[in-house]
Amino acid sequence: MAKNKDARPPTFAVSVVGLSGTEKEKGNCGVGKSCLCNRYVRPDADGYYSEHTSVLSTIDFGGRVVNNDHFLYWGEVSHRGDDGLDCKIQVIEQTEFIDDQTFLPHRSTNLQPYTKRAAAAKLQSAEKLMYICTDQLGLEQDFEQKQMPDGKLSVDGFVLCIDVSKGCNRKFDDQMKFISSLYSQIAKSKKPIVVAATKCDECVDQHLRDLQTFVASKKNLTLAETSARANVNVELCFNALIQQLDKTRGKPKTVPYLEAYKVQRQLVASVTDRFEKLMVHNLRDYHTTWKTVSNNLKGQPDFDEFIALEGSRKARGVFAKHVSQLKQEHIRRRKDEYLTTLPKTLNNLLNDLDEVENLSWAEARGLIRDRPDFQYWFVVLEHTPWDESDHVDNSDRRIPFDLLDTPDGERIYRNHVQHLLSEKRRAEMKERFKRTLERVHFIAPGQPWEEVMCFVMEDEAYKYIAESDRRDVYCRHQQEIVERAKEDFQEMLFEHAELFYDLDLNATPSCDKMSEIHGVLNEEPRYRALQKLAPDRESLLLKHIGFVYHPTKETCLSGQNCVDLKVEQVLANRLVQLDHGRSSLYYNSANIDKINLCLLGREGLSQELANEIRAQSTEDEYALDGKIYELDLLPVDVNSTLLFSHAWVNTFKPHGCFCVFNSIESLNCVGDCVGRIRAEMAQGRRERFARPLPFILVLANQRDGVCKNVPILRHQGQQLANKLQCTFVDGPSGAFPRKFTEFQVKQGLRAVLEALKRNYDVLAPPPSIKDMSEADLRIVMCAMCWDPFSVDLILSPFLDSHCCGAAGPPAQSNTLILDKIIGDSRRRIQVTVLSYHTAIGVRKDELVHGYILVYSAKRKASMATLRAFLAEVQDVIPVQMVAITDSQADFFENDAIKELMTEGEHIATEIAAKFTALYSLSQYHRQTEVFTPFFNEVLEKKPDVESSFLFDGSSRECTTGAGEEAFLPTSPHSHSPGYNNCYPESDDDNEAPPPYSPIGDDVQLLPTPSERAKYRIDLEGNEYPVHSTPLGDHERNHKVPPPVRPKPALPKHNVRKLDPNLLKTIEAGMRSNRRTPRGPASTHAEDAEPSDNYADPVDTVLRFRGFHNDDNYAVPDDTHGRLIKIRNSFGGLHGFHGGGEEEENGFDRKSQAGRRPSKYKHRSKILFSKTKAYQRRFHSDSDGEESGPATQKKKKGRAHRGSEEDPLLSPADPWKGGIDNPAITSDPEQEDKKMKKKKTPKTPKEPKKPKSSKPPKPLYPPTRRTWESNYFGVPLQNLVTPDRPIPLFIEKCVDYIERTGLTTEGLYRVSGNKTDQDNIQKQFDQDHGVDFLAMDVAVNAAAGALKAFFADLPDPLIPYSLHPELVEAAKIVDYLERLQVLREIVKKFPPVNYQVFKYIITHLNRVSQHCKTTLMTADNLSICFWPTLMRPDFENKDTLSTTKLNQAVVESFILQSDYFFHGGEVAESSGSEGTPPPHCHNMVEALLPLQLPPPLQPQQIQHPLHPDPLI
């Protein structure tokens, strides 16, 4: 120990010794002396070097570090013990350096052997530098340079190192021999010695035990088990030596290597864990460098401690590992993102299962590469794989295409294909489950899924799909049925238009009105279908009522489908196009000097006419009226295919076409050919204002001059010209040698020039009309919103015409102006196209000269709205009814369309209105000529309409007060010659065109053989409507007169049904091409039929047209509530015969002012019965004869409904022939007589009497049958015997119903076909043994026939005398007591009634047991049956108070049939079932304000709104 005389810390020099020498002596590696010194002097991992060599070059050996010595100076270590004392330790390592050339020890100043040299206590070496590592040698300047103090040291203690590892080419025994020798030398120095077992981390246990034995054999030796590499017990070894050097220090505890190693590892693990957490917390980007991280973390304890313990290299390894993890996580995330996107991508690119189901993955990749949107989903990289390229850091989210080469890509593709298969299967099962739900008919709108689930649980599709899919499918199904039910409900409200449109606009329905509405609608299945959605149903009803009473296009229930909005849009676009299109007008006919004529004929007639014209010409120049025309002739045979292409028109550009005929056959061919030519031209026309082609019909002369067919040909030619709207040129009256005359040619050429001139005039733009009062006629066209046709169809007759123009003021956005020749002068016709709801206000407040009422033949609501609107129209205003459907074939193929079109025809017949049809699929663009007859009628009746409006306005003025003025816009043309114009009489006045047919004026009922081929090609046809085109006053024979009313004929019988052979008659008449002769004329004007759609003939027009004696209107009498006849107060049977200007106008103002205008509902049985139907049902206190005649006729006519013998009521082709249909005519006198016969004085009601007295008058007297029967309508006792207590008909009906109908939904509630019911009874009348199964009748028809049987009985099945007792029993609160009383009452039934009542109630009980399928519970059955079984007198208001009680009685009989009739026990029932409401004595007061409707008999419930088309 160095002697220190001052207070500085003591310094000790320690010499580390051990086996050294050549490789032969120490093996391939040393014993760890250098590593032990290194770890002690520089314990930080970065300062520890595991490789220290003793083989040096001569230069390195002579350097300042080695300094030619065989020892190394490791430096000085400051040591602070546990007791707080400080000291410094200077470490010396004694070794032996080997020359790298000779591999012998280097020569030094001390040549002693190692054992003696190592034991030296004094060491000296001038300017010797501290040793750090092998790399320091020769590069001393790059390392820390620190000299050994004073160049000399005194050794204070020794550390003897012994390697206990296996060693390299060294035996442990040889080492121990060397150590023994060395120990002997060291021990001589009397210095403390500590034995250090080195490399214990690789120790051999036997070596360690041998060492421990060696240490134990020596005195004062301490053994320290160390490991420099693991840094275990290194400091402990030196501390033990220091304790021996300084006895004042505490003796350190010697710890075995394993224990110390465990502690060290725990320390390392803890430090490493904290360091890794530090890395995770601070390192988020794998692009970060180690330099950045070390600079940021330096100074943090966890970082510095790990660096010290494990070293920077290891720390950098941890950093690199973490960065690699971050990058892999980023790549994995990107890959997961790509793989997540890939199914969606495949679903977009390969979504067709049929395309990819059998493809391999390689084929699928090729298919993906060929997709046009491949670049949108994928990116092809230059360097692959993608995770080793720059794409991992790219923001491009497209999928690298090479990713598809991986197993994951193929796996996802296979999953995609399986997904497509499963989705297909799932979709199929969902659709199958949807169809299953659709087959479950009892699912009601709004019904919860839980209530339906139990009925479909066994379905295969139900089991396959998940619960979420089930609910989704059911939700969709519910949405569909709810939407459909709401649409049906809304449609039902429109079908009951008469129920809603009986109040004025802006009114508020009263409570009674609301009760009436609910009562009527409650009978409708479509109303009850929304029972579970009562709030929605009430909302729809209130919304509908609000719209009805406050209609605007903004509140229209159809929304954007409102007719008003669509008409405004169409007119705004089309009228602008019309104005632009007129910029290119047709050339002026005055400048024509060349005429191109097409000559059309059969069998050479066209060529003969061409030869005749050329013979009259000079070099193709023809002189006419002082002017020379160049003629270009094109003769064409009717069978030529040239005619049926539009090309010849464009090439030849004809100005007109002469159509020549000389027989019926050639006339038919010409007619067909012209129609087809026009159709082809209309279809191929591209220019909006192309001129129409004039056709001239020429009758060729018969050369013999005495042909009997000439009058017929002349007449038929005239008829065809009328139909085709062309000129007819008659043949010469006398004998003529040639077939054509010069007069005929000139007349035809004049007609062509006149047509060209007229076309120019028509194409000229009409003058602007600034004031709407300038219009001659004001027409309102009404259409129903939501009808299944486009408004373009109803506007096309106007917009496709050349005489149509805009109305001028912007406010008239739904109005157009027609500038049209009506009669013999041009008229301005204002046509306003409105919806029915908007037209209601116009009908009431504005002057309208005529209405065009359009309805869809596919929609009952459309007809109902038309009826409701028409019923309130003044009967002096002309009406044109238009039915819309797809094609003519619909009438013959669809019974519903046929029924609606026939009903429209009947209404038109009853009110003397015109009727026609338009077809949405027709290829022919109809023009305004379809309405020309109607415009003629409107013009004729204009004075009557305006006078009626003036009268009505004055009446309103008197009613509302003097402050209001009646609005009567007068026309400046009201006294123009057009109004007073009348055609002179002609021979054709007794032959007028027949009325319009229900499917249009241009449709044949049955096509002739020549027409059938055409119908196979085109069912629409291309016929043109009838109108007149006068050419000039001098050409009287060629002017087609307007339709006129035929002269009065003989009275006709009141036909109640159609002639069954009418179809055959019509077909035969068409084949013969002749008209059926009309009856002889009569001088009595009152016998003329008011139902024919004809204008008045000239001789009638000259009379007082305002005073027709057929104005017998049926109006309700306010006092007695029954129908009475009001005869026209202005004349008897003959009217006035005076003359004068006012007579020419039809009436004088003074006389007309006294006439009160009526409405069409009083002129039509259908309209009147529909309007009053609800009043009859809800005002039962009125006289039962209120509408007796109309009702009874309707019932009688209804008995024939459903027959196949309903032909069209008028022929379609007026020029080919037709007949007068007696089925649509009526004789006013005969009607009047029949009504007088049926009128009987009203007798006062008699109070109820005992059983022996006459029962009260039943509600439904047995008048429903239209045939005599010995079985139906007779007392029950006449139909039974002791052996057969039940009538056979009842047994048959019940047996048939129970065999076939116990699964029929709505049994006894849904009405059967009335005709089928009558047929059942008729067949039974003829043969009591008839088999209903063989008849294959509908179950509902059999049920209706059974109820009708009871309704026809003279007395009800439940006697009137027992009704009061039953009512009183129903009021008993206690249920069992009530049943006992009812059982006693039922025993009072007459025996016959009792047996039948028992039989029918037992049957109804069996029906109620199947209510899950029929939906007919005992309550529903009682509602349907109690009026039939009891037939109360609903004319008595007291009946309303017992309605519910009567129904409850019958319900109790049905529920407890076993108890009442079979001795059974009381059946279980809900507590509320059959229990009367509390305070039954107040039921009258509770029910009367609601105006509940009385239940109706089945036969009257059947068709409450369907009119009889055959009345």
Side-chain angles (χ1 to χ4, degrees), residues 92-141:
I92 297 297
E93 176 192 358
Q94 289 287 351
T95 183
E96 189 166 26
F97 293 103
I98 305 301
D99 190 347
D100 60 353
Q101 296 295 327
T102 64
F103 293 101
L104 295 175
H106 282 284
R107 291 181 176 272
S108 73
T109 55
N110 191 349
L111 299 178
Q112 295 178 341
Y114 179 80
T115 55
K116 293 189 179 219
R117 188 173 66 248
K122 300 289 184 177
L123 297 175
Q124 183 174 358
S125 180
E127 296 182 356
K128 188 177 181 68
L129 295 178
M130 179 183 65
Y131 173 75
I132 298 176
C133 63
T134 304
D135 296 336
Q136 178 188 13
L137 302 179
L139 299 173
E140 291 81 356
Q141 67 276 5

Side-chain angles (χ1 to χ4, degrees), residues 260-271:
Y261 178 77
K262 184 177 180 181
V263 173
Q264 180 68 15
R265 284 298 90 196
Q266 290 176 351
L267 176 63
V268 171
S270 174
V271 172

